[in-house]
Every structure is written in structure tokens, then in C-alpha cells.
Amino acid sequence: MQESIWNRTASLRPREPLSGDRKVDAAVIGGGLAGILTAHFLRAAGLETVVLEAARAGSGQTGRTTAKITAQHGLIYERLIDQLGREKAVLYAQANQWAVAEYRRMVREGGIDCDFTDCPAYLYATGDPWPIHREAEAAHSLGIDAACTADTELPFPVAAALRFGNQARFHPLRFLDAVAEPLELYEQTRVRDVEGNRVITDRGTVTAEHVVFACHYPFRNVPGYYFLRMHQERSYVLALENAAGLEGMYFGTDGDGLSFRPQGDLLLLGGGGHRTGENSAGGQYQKLRQAARSFWPESREMAAWSAQDGMPLDGVPYIGRFSATTPNWYVATGFQKWGMTSSMVAARLLTDLITTGASPWEEVFTPQRFQPPAAGKALLQESAQAAKGLGRRLFTPPRAEVEALPRGHGGVVEYRGEKLGVYKDDGGEGFCVSVRCPHLGCQLEWNPDEKSWDCPCHGSRFDYRGRLLDGPAQRDADVPE
Ligand code: FES
């Protein structure tokens, strides 16, 4: 797996696994930014809190983000006003603007050394400028410092750009490490199940009055049914040396728009998004490399990595009570590409729910919301997509024979009536996995950009040996005898 510049330039202090049983006020599942910030606020409110992390803190999406701290979440505010109404759109904007300010406050007051830098954030379009103009009007009407311009630092002309002032960027793992320092955090402690107040791990049990699922994608299928209302998408990043020295952060709203974000002497160039499990042709890094060559022929690639995002049905994260039948469970998921402010919003919202029973932002983010026109249609599409994956498990003919596979390639083959995923490494050695996803049984697809087996239904991923990379699956793929 590729290493991000964040992983390369931070060394988080390791923590021991859980050992035996604990009884606490709150258990937070997941040691990423959302989990660590939630535990931070709960602890500050006087609750004895533990964090349970399956691998290392920050080893999930927090280490793969582009770390833009911004309330600018693509073309969102015009849509929120249309779909949810102005009142909820105002709350969404206020929550995320508060999150930017809260990062700034925590970094300054805590003296956290994490490259925190104030900077503007831009949306840009090279085609139709009108969505940008309408978004500017919507954002401005919600009280956001938003202004249109056609003047940017980008190496190509834009039709329109929308500037949000007073946004920020930082080093997410250095920030995480500082915030996690006083917390009771257990690493290498995978949660296997939650039964009422008991969180069952492979290292012991935690009994907690409140349980927070902050593990990117909830691994419990029932209740909550998050697998029916969220898919996952992947996107790719290059860190370039000798490219442009930008001040702002940029996000393209055209179909194949690119993302730009400076970090010290480097420029992070992002793009190439697709639904997880739908990249069998590959070439995502290649597209970014071509763009880098055409914009800055002298640039050098210093790192390349990818990230995975949970995509909710109506474009608003699910933050709040886990389900109607589990009063002491809470969830934070579906942050799309905007995990920094969403993590901060989730931490505040969940802490308020746990300590006071209410949050002013609850009605916007509640996972129990019901939006028939938007959610109903998307739910059908989501189910159709899941069914497509299940269908493929039975009917798609094998696409490659083992012996025909070139070195360095993977594909699905049929062997003694069973479908197998086969990868042949550069030395000619073959590796086989079952392509039946251990989550709910969809057929895994080969992702040549990352040499991984990815599930198109809900986004679980496995390396070429079948080892679990991303949930909601909780175990490795089967490996045939
Ligand atoms: Fe749900 Fe694969 S992730 S079936």
C-alpha cells in the first residue's frame, strides 16, 4: 500500500492493546480523527472514555486525507437549501464554520505543532460557470465569507471560481497525535461485536454506558442498515515537488475536476474518483501523472496514495443516534470527501447528545432523518447497485485464465466451478483469494491501481493475499486451500 506524506512525516507514539475487561462511561470505536476528537470532548466533559482502534491510531482515512479544513464541501449549499430548506442549510454551514474555528482555537491554545495554516478555499469550474455563481449566492446568503472570481493561481484558465476566506490546512497526524496524548487509547484491538453496553474485542471486553461507532463505516449491519444507505468511493493523490507554490486550496466541480492543495514545498494533486470496486481498467494514477506533466513538466512525484470515502444517500453525513432501537449507541459516518470538519462536527454533536441529550445540529445530521424525494430514489439506486454486485457473483463469466494473466496483473478465473481471484506478481508467483466478499457476499473486483480486491457493494477491500484493508467487512477474504 502506498504511504502518504502524512505517514512519512509523523511518528505516532504506539499504544498497548486492551488487556482484559474495562468498565467506563463511554467507549469510542475507531482511533481516527472523528473518534479521537469525540473522546477528547467526552473526557473534557468528565466522562471516563476509552478509544478502541483495530490497527494504529490515524491509520485509516485520517492518514490519507488531503487535510483541507474547510466548510466548502463542493457544490453543496444551493442543494441543501433546495432539499432541506434554508433553516437546516444554515445549521450545516454554521456547524462546519464552527469546526474550522475550533481547529484554529485548539491548535493555538494547545500550542499544537501541526503546520496549521490559514488559507482560502476555492471551488473552480472550467466549463459552465453558472453552478459556481449560484453556489456563491447560496453560500453568501447563509452567512459564509464567499465571493466569486475568475482570478486563481491555477495553471489553466477557469470559467469561474468561488473563494471562501478564513479556511485552513494542517498536518492531520501531528494534530491527532497531540490530541490523543492524554486519552486512554488501545491499539491493535479490533472490535468484533457490540451487544447492548458490551463492546467485545479480541483482547477483552469494555462495558460502557455510551458506545460511539466512529470507525469510518459501521460494521454492524443490523440495526441501522447503513449498508443500504451508503456506498464508498476512492480517489487518488500525488505529492509533487517542483510544482506550483499555491497559497489556496482548490477543488474542481467539473466532472473530472482536480484538487490542488499546497503542503510545505509540495503540492498535492488529487482526482480520479470512482465508486469502490469499479476500477477494473485502472489508470487513475496515470491520469494524475499526465496532468502533472502537462502543468509542471519539471515536477517530481514524491508520493502517491489513495483514500476511501463513505457517501451518504442525500449528501449529508450520518451523525447522531445509531438507530431507534439502540438508545446508547451513536454513529459518525458518511463524511464524503470532507472528513476534517465533519469529524469536528461529529465530535461536538455526539458529545452534546451524550452529555445533555440534545444538539442544535442534530436535526440536520441525524441518521434517522427521512427525506422521501431524495433518499427514496437514491435508496433504490443503491439497492440496484448492490443487486448488480450480487448478480455478478452468479452470472458473470470469468474474465481471465490463470495462465493468460500477465505478470503484475490480477483477475477473476473459474476453477473447478468456483470463482477465484488470482494475482500474478512481478516474479510470476500466483496468489488466490475467494472473490466472495465476507461482508454480504458480493463479488470482489480487481483494482489494478492498488493491487487490491475491492467490493462494489459497500466498499470493503482486501490486499492480493486477501488481508482486510477497509470495512465494513470485519475479516480477511477466504483463501482457497
Ligand atoms: Fe458489503 Fe462487500 S462490502 S458485500
Side-chain angles (χ1 to χ4, degrees):
M1 194 192 312
Q2 309 92 339
E3 196 181 34
S4 74
I5 55 163
W6 316 124
N7 292 120
R8 278 188 199 172
T9 54
S11 63
L12 277 64
R13 58 205 99 191
R15 303 300 189 95
E16 294 297 315
L18 178 69
S19 168
D21 300 332
R22 288 280 285 120
K23 193 159 187 264
V24 292
D25 296 322
V28 176
I29 305 169
L33 203 41
I36 293 295
L37 283 170
T38 303
H40 164 79
F41 285 136
L42 288 172
R43 181 174 177 272
L47 274 71
E48 192 177 5
T49 304
V50 302
V51 182
L52 302 165
E53 164 57 45
R56 295 289 318 276
S59 61
Q61 304 316 308
T62 302
R64 298 179 206 156
T65 171
T66 51
K68 295 173 174 171
I69 302 176
T70 177
Q72 187 181 70
H73 294 179
L75 294 170
I76 188 171
Y77 290 109
E78 184 194 15
R79 184 171 56 74
L80 288 183
I81 292 170
D82 282 354
Q83 287 184 2
L84 306 183
R86 180 164 294 278
E87 217 171 289
K88 287 186 184 169
V90 166
L91 287 178
Y92 186 98
Q94 284 176 349
N96 283 284
Q97 286 184 296
W98 170 85
V100 177
E102 181 64 6
Y103 274 112
R104 190 174 287 121
R105 187 196 66 76
M106 285 179 69
V107 168
R108 290 194 180 148
E109 290 183 10
I112 299 175
D113 178 12
C114 62
D115 300 339
F116 188 94
T117 308
D118 292 309
C119 65
Y122 294 83
L123 296 177
Y124 72 87
T126 55
D128 182 4
W130 288 109
I132 294 276
H133 290 304
R134 291 198 305 270
E135 181 70 6
E137 204 177 302
H140 191 69
S141 78
L142 299 175
I144 295 172
D145 169 12
C148 267
T149 177
D151 196 18
T152 73
E153 309 157 285
L154 294 172
F156 48 80
V158 304
L162 170 58
R163 181 186 193 275
F164 280 18
N166 224 15
Q167 311 297 295
R169 49 190 153 88
F170 71 161
H171 191 308
L173 292 184
R174 288 190 187 149
F175 176 83
L176 184 90
D177 193 41
V179 177
E181 204 265 323
L183 301 180
E184 185 176 345
L185 159 65
Y186 297 104
E187 295 186 329
Q188 309 297 345
T189 303
R190 180 173 291 281
V191 174
R192 295 293 172 194
D193 204 357
V194 183
E195 291 173 356
N197 290 4
R198 285 179 71 239
V199 182
I200 299 155
T201 82
D202 45 13
R203 307 279 191 160
T205 299
V206 176
T207 305
E209 219 167 293
H210 308 282
V211 179
V212 176
F213 290 74
C215 46
H216 185 72
Y217 197 118
F219 55 84
R220 277 289 298 250
N221 295 324
V222 181
Y225 298 93
Y226 289 92
F227 70 95
L228 277 180
R229 42 184 168 144
M230 190 166 67
H231 72 273
Q232 299 201 71
E233 294 189 359
R234 297 198 66 70
S235 54
Y236 300 79
V237 187
L238 302 182
L240 302 170
E241 195 178 60
N242 223 18
L246 306 182
E247 191 219 340
M249 310 181 287
Y250 292 83
F251 184 80
T253 59
D254 307 299
D256 53 357
L258 297 167
S259 154
F260 302 82
R261 186 269 208 220
Q263 173 63 26
D265 293 340
L266 301 177
L267 183 75
L268 308 189
L269 172 65
H274 61 82
R275 183 174 173 127
T276 303
E278 296 189 347
N279 187 38
S280 54
Q284 305 297 342
Y285 287 118
Q286 239 7 70
K287 280 185 224 160
L288 289 179
R289 284 172 186 136
Q290 265 167 14
R293 270 197 302 274
S294 75
F295 298 146
W296 308 288
E298 304 297 309
S299 64
R300 275 190 309 278
E301 183 179 316
M302 306 306 288
W305 72 93
S306 58
Q308 174 127 316
D309 298 302
M311 310 300 285
L313 288 176
D314 59 1
V316 177
Y318 301 121
I319 304 169
R321 297 177 199 281
F322 191 95
S323 79
T325 59
T326 49
N328 64 326
W329 292 8
Y330 304 84
V331 67
T333 191
F335 295 170
Q336 304 167 96
K337 297 182 188 310
W338 313 107
M340 301 299 97
T341 53
S342 297
S343 290
M344 186 64 88
V345 168
R348 184 73 264 158
L349 194 162
L350 297 182
T351 300
D352 287 349
L353 278 187
I354 289 169
T355 57
T356 71
S359 158
W361 305 328
E362 185 180 5
E363 60 176 320
V364 185
F365 296 97
T366 175
Q368 272 74 59
R369 65 186 177 261
F370 184 56
Q371 300 288 338
K377 184 161 168 263
L379 182 62
L380 286 176
Q381 285 168 351
E382 200 72 7
S383 303
Q385 187 70 27
K388 192 171 116 194
L390 286 164
R392 271 202 300 243
R393 190 179 91 216
L394 299 171
F395 303 122
T396 302
R399 295 172 305 161
E401 298 298 332
V402 181
E403 56 278 10
L405 266 184
R407 291 180 179 205
H409 285 70
V412 179
V413 304
E414 199 157 286
Y415 180 68
R416 295 185 186 158
E418 286 280 314
K419 282 190 179 169
L420 295 177
V422 179
Y423 166 65
K424 194 185 276 186
D425 72 10
D426 293 335
E429 188 179 354
F431 298 87
C432 266
V433 302
S434 162
V435 290
R436 185 182 165 84
C437 176
H439 178 230
L440 289 173
C442 293
Q443 179 177 309
L444 303 176
E445 295 286 332
W446 180 243
N447 179 348
D449 283 321
E450 308 189 75
K451 298 198 185 326
S452 62
W453 293 102
D454 298 357
C455 182
C457 287
H458 316 107
S460 294
R461 300 178 59 245
F462 309 85
D463 73 7
Y464 64 87
R465 292 177 184 268
R467 292 175 295 208
L468 179 65
L469 297 174
D470 288 301
Q474 276 184 287
R475 65 172 179 84
D476 296 343
D478 291 328
V479 175
E481 300 286 306

